[in-house]
Amino acid sequence: MRQHSQFGLLKQHRFAPFFWTQFLGAFNDNVFKTALLTILTYNTLEWTKLDIGLLNNLIPGLFILPFVLFSATAGQLADKFEKGAMARKVKLLEILIMLIAAYGWWNHQLWLLIAAVAGMGIHSTLFGPVKYAYLPQHLQKDELIGGNGLIEMGTFVGILAGEILGAMLVVHQPWGLQLVATGTIIVAVLGYIASLRIPYSPAPEPALPVSWNPLSETVRNIRFSRKNRPVFLSLMGNSWFWFYGAIILAQFPQYAKNYLHGDHSVFVLLLTVFSFGIGTGSLACEKLSGHKIEIGLVPFGAIGLSVFGFDLYLSSNTYINTQIVDLWGFLQQAGAVHILADIVMIGVFGGLYIVPLFALIQTRCDPAHLSRTIAGMNILNALFMVVASLAAMLMLKQGFTIPQIFMATAMLNVVVALYIFSLVPEFLMRFIAWLLIHTVHQVRTVNAERIPAEGAGVLVCNHVSYMDAIVIMACSPRPIRFVMDHRIFKIPFLSWIFRTAKAIPIAPAKEDPWLTEKSYVDIAQALHEGELVCIFPEGKLTSTGDINQFRGGVMKILERSPVPVYPMALRGLWGSFFTRDGGNPFERAFRRRPFSRLELVVGEVMQPSQVSPIVLQEKVTQLRGNWR
């Protein structure tokens, strides 16, 4: 894969105009919403006598209500029409909404401002399917993690900058309201100007008839998404993240004011560090994933969300200040740094969680249905966020403190994550693989881009250790069906990993002819469905470090399924804890230093007519070289 920097995309016409259009939209949303929440929370002008805690949860709920009502229609429009033109029309709508909001600011019309919140929700609803369906049309697969990371970073930096500016401008005396009104119009105009340079993005299904019934189309979208289990569970995982985030963020105004006893600058600080964490985690995904779609980061992110969400509850209990403080006064309080560190890390692990999910949805969904799938995701997101608002209000009514709400959300995240990952074990398997090769070894790939991104193929590799399949799995950009000795398949713990990876156990024909035949049938079926199958033709682990003689199983596979063959070689695993050389495994574990280097080398593709066991063994031996 190309080891380009994701930041290089910001200089390219295929990405930059779209990025800035998205950034300015997120920025403007949050200048407006945060200004409104700030003026209500700190009651600067006493606009309302309604309960402020209720409004803090109600206004975000009104913003996301259009996602429930109009996402299905928005997804159809994004699949039917060219996306650049769609983006420009949405930006014109934003200008109109900000003009209406400006009238509300100037005339102190709260109901008009709340209506504008719903209007911006409609704006974001229409733009959402365009945003995530645009990227796969203009980015390569090995650019998607970096591109999604930049979009998420840009979104949350836009949120951060908008929240800071909105909170600061609105309390500026005597022109705060006028500054917000004028500024949001200017930003909306700039967003429209940026959208004019978005490159042509053809509609995947221009003949699509648009159904204007949101209920039936919503049901149809979700039903279609359920057919692809990993995609649907990724949609659910994405929506859960927005549930988690909606509860946490909705509490920040009251948490800053009534619990931390800070002025509005402390509220801004909480938003700043959270958004900084999200941006950092989103950008880190490309490096941690090795420029491929690494869904093993999703469980890693889920673990961090729970650990630091619970620790935020604990750190909040150590905060004892009861005096009103500004930003600098807050930073001098005991426990303040601990609280900020927890919020930063929640953001970081949130970025690690969400970016791979987006990339998986974009690459495994039917391209002709991608916008509608994203629209279905937005509907689920909206429903989860509405439920989050209701759950937060219910917990407050039941007497929960805000730190207790943080704790309850973190604990619920454990339950939800375990449920999702048990339904799609590929997430946990990839996490285990990612964890092993980033803690026990330093893994380097050579010519890994030769592993096909799509289509059937047989991968052939030397068999050095019990970790071979995990290392190959972690280096591959897509799932692999491994064929392995039935005795290795039954090893405790590893057996669970191999079963969840849909590995195919095989036995010698003399030992179990029925299992042998079943294995070849399963391999043929996997290849017929366009999957990758990996075999270890030696048939057993090496006990010397040298490559054993290749057996003829690969020829039986190719007789039934004549597909391309990709020779590979593992280097550097011999002598580790997981090899079988007859010595003491614990002695081997200490003999190999931590983070020892190993490599996976991929050779040039071979057509079925070029393949024989002898030729394959020679190819793999050449790839391995003098390594063991």
Side-chain angles (χ1 to χ4, degrees):
M1 298 182 199
R2 298 184 299 277
Q3 299 298 303
H4 48 70
S5 168
Q6 62 202 103
F7 293 102
L9 293 172
L10 292 172
K11 302 177 182 178
Q12 299 184 27
H13 180 246
R14 62 193 172 117
F15 183 83
F18 186 83
F19 173 86
W20 291 113
T21 302
Q22 158 66 17
F23 172 84
L24 290 168
F27 174 77
N28 216 23
D29 276 349
N30 287 277
V31 170
F32 175 59
K33 284 192 301 180
T34 307
L36 182 56
L37 287 171
T38 301
I39 208 73
L40 293 176
T41 299
Y42 291 93
N43 212 24
T44 306
L45 297 179
E46 297 185 355
W47 285 34
T48 180
K49 297 300 182 183
L50 293 174
D51 180 71
I52 301 304
L54 179 66
L55 284 174
N56 279 332
N57 286 282
L58 179 62
I59 288 175
L62 287 175
F63 177 79
I64 62 176
L65 182 61
F67 284 89
V68 178
L69 299 177
F70 305 118
S71 281
T73 302
Q76 295 176 87
L77 295 175
D79 275 336
K80 182 178 179 64
F81 298 110
E82 191 269 321
K83 293 179 179 59
M86 277 283 296
R88 287 183 278 278
K89 288 181 174 61
V90 171
K91 291 293 115 178
L92 287 173
L93 175 63
E94 181 183 1
I95 294 172
L96 176 61
I97 294 168
M98 288 297 99
L99 286 170
I100 294 172
Y103 183 85
W105 285 118
W106 280 84
N107 294 279
H108 296 183
Q109 297 289 331
L110 179 59
W111 68 270
L112 202 56
L113 293 170
I114 291 177
V117 169
M120 289 304 288
I122 294 173
H123 156 271
S124 297
T125 299
L126 293 172
F127 194 73
V130 175
K131 176 170 69 172
Y132 291 109
Y134 173 90
L135 294 181
Q137 284 188 296
H138 295 274
L139 301 185
Q140 301 297 321
K141 281 192 175 181
D142 63 327
E143 295 176 318
L144 274 178
I145 282 286
N148 277 291
L150 283 171
I151 288 291
E152 291 306 302
M153 179 275 296
T155 299
F156 280 93
V157 169
I159 290 171
L160 163 62
E163 287 168 341
I164 293 174
L165 189 62
M168 292 176 63
L169 284 182
V170 77
V171 297
H172 185 277
Q173 296 297 335
W175 300 104
L177 302 185
Q178 291 80 0
L179 288 172
V180 172
T182 305
T184 51
I185 294 173
I186 292 173
V187 174
V189 171
L190 292 175
Y192 174 71
I193 293 172
S195 72
L196 294 174
R197 299 191 68 247
I198 293 176
Y200 180 76
S201 307
E205 201 166 348
L208 176 70
V210 177
S211 169
W212 299 100
N213 185 329
L215 181 60
S216 63
E217 187 62 24
T218 296
V219 171
R220 188 180 299 112
N221 273 343
I222 294 176
R223 187 176 296 159
F224 180 86
S225 299
R226 285 178 65 91
K227 296 178 182 178
N228 189 326
R229 192 176 182 84
V231 168
F232 181 72
L233 269 297
S234 297
L235 299 180
M236 296 295 289
N238 181 291
S239 297
W240 169 251
F241 172 78
W242 288 105
F243 176 98
Y244 183 105
I247 286 186
I248 298 296
L249 288 174
Q251 310 321 309
F252 275 6
Q254 292 290 86
Y255 181 61
K257 181 183 179 182
N258 296 334
Y259 203 92
L260 302 180
H261 304 286
D263 64 10
H264 78 281
S265 66
V266 176
F267 166 52
V268 171
L269 178 63
L270 299 184
L271 297 174
T272 300
V273 297
F274 180 80
S275 298
F276 173 79
I278 286 279
T280 301
S282 298
L283 292 177
C285 284
E286 185 180 55
K287 179 68 174 177
L288 293 175
S289 66
H291 295 261
K292 65 178 183 295
I293 298 171
E294 181 50 83
I295 62 174
L297 293 177
V298 178
F300 189 40
I303 292 169
L305 287 173
S306 285
V307 168
F308 289 100
F310 188 82
D311 196 57
L312 180 59
Y313 159 74
L314 298 177
S315 62
S316 297
N317 287 335
T318 67
Y319 186 82
I320 59 175
N321 171 58
T322 58
Q323 301 297 315
I324 301 299
V325 292
D326 61 9
L327 185 151
W328 300 112
F330 168 69
L331 292 175
Q332 294 171 20
Q333 302 302 315
V337 173
H338 191 172
I339 289 171
L340 294 177
D342 282 333
I343 294 173
V344 168
M345 295 310 295
I346 288 172
V348 168
F349 281 94
L352 296 178
Y353 178 93
I354 199 70
V355 170
L357 283 179
F358 278 128
L360 183 145
I361 293 166
Q362 290 165 336
T363 54
R364 297 200 190 177
C365 180
D366 178 3
H369 208 280
L370 180 54
S371 293
R372 280 166 287 170
T373 298
I374 297 296
M377 179 185 72
N378 287 340
I379 294 167
L380 291 173
N381 289 352
L383 293 172
F384 273 63
M385 291 169 74
V386 169
V387 172
S389 295
L390 295 174
M393 287 189 282
L394 178 61
M395 285 188 279
L396 289 170
K397 290 289 185 182
Q398 293 298 315
F400 278 60
T401 66
I402 290 178
Q404 287 172 339
I405 292 176
F406 295 153
M407 177 190 67
T409 306
M411 294 176 67
L412 189 56
N413 182 65
V414 174
V415 176
V416 172
L418 288 176
Y419 175 71
I420 291 177
F421 300 145
S422 67
L423 293 179
V424 186
E426 184 185 351
F427 286 103
L428 280 177
M429 284 173 33
R430 296 286 302 199
F431 172 59
I432 292 170
W434 180 86
L435 195 63
L436 283 174
I437 69 169
H438 285 83
T439 55
V440 179
H441 295 286
Q442 290 181 338
V443 180
R444 174 175 175 262
T445 58
V446 180
N447 297 324
E449 71 278 1
R450 291 174 175 170
I451 299 176
E454 56 186 22
V458 175
L459 308 178
V460 175
C461 192
N462 57 322
H463 205 4
V464 187
S465 75
Y466 294 109
M467 254 183 72
D468 293 352
I470 294 175
V471 173
I472 296 169
M473 181 196 314
C475 296
S476 171
R478 55 186 284 210
I480 298 173
R481 301 285 300 277
F482 288 92
V483 181
M484 57 183 55
D485 187 285
H486 68 111
R487 290 163 293 191
I488 297 177
F489 187 86
K490 296 175 183 177
I491 294 174
F493 179 67
L494 290 179
S495 175
W496 173 80
I497 296 176
F498 297 143
R499 278 198 306 272
T500 56
K502 298 169 65 177
I504 302 172
I506 193 168
K510 294 180 180 179
E511 185 176 331
D512 191 337
W514 179 87
L515 180 58
T516 302
E517 179 59 26
K518 181 180 183 301
S519 301
Y520 285 115
V521 170
D522 290 344
I523 293 169
Q525 179 65 26
L527 293 172
H528 175 73
E529 294 173 358
E531 296 187 85
L532 283 180
V533 173
C534 181
I535 66 170
F536 301 98
E538 296 166 85
K540 62 180 180 179
L541 288 176
T542 177
S543 59
T544 63
D546 295 325
I547 295 178
N548 295 310
Q549 181 179 356
F550 277 22
R551 300 180 181 180
V554 65
M555 303 310 298
K556 294 181 181 179
I557 293 173
L558 296 178
E559 285 173 7
R560 302 185 187 208
S561 308
V563 298
V565 176
Y566 301 85
M568 306 188 304
L570 283 165
R571 302 170 168 177
L573 265 173
W574 176 249
S576 70
F577 179 86
F578 299 97
T579 57
R580 188 169 66 186
D581 63 2
N584 186 322
F586 294 98
E587 179 186 342
R588 294 198 303 273
F590 286 103
R591 190 167 67 231
R592 295 294 299 270
R593 68 185 186 279
F595 302 107
S596 58
R597 179 182 165 196
L598 66 87
E599 293 184 346
L600 175 68
V601 186
V602 183
E604 294 183 0
V605 61
M606 301 175 65
Q607 297 306 315
S609 60
Q610 301 173 297
V611 173
S612 71
I614 294 176
V615 171
L616 273 179
Q617 183 171 343
E618 291 175 352
K619 292 282 187 183
V620 173
T621 302
Q622 291 171 3
L623 292 171
R624 192 197 66 168
N626 295 325
W627 285 58
R628 285 194 174 188

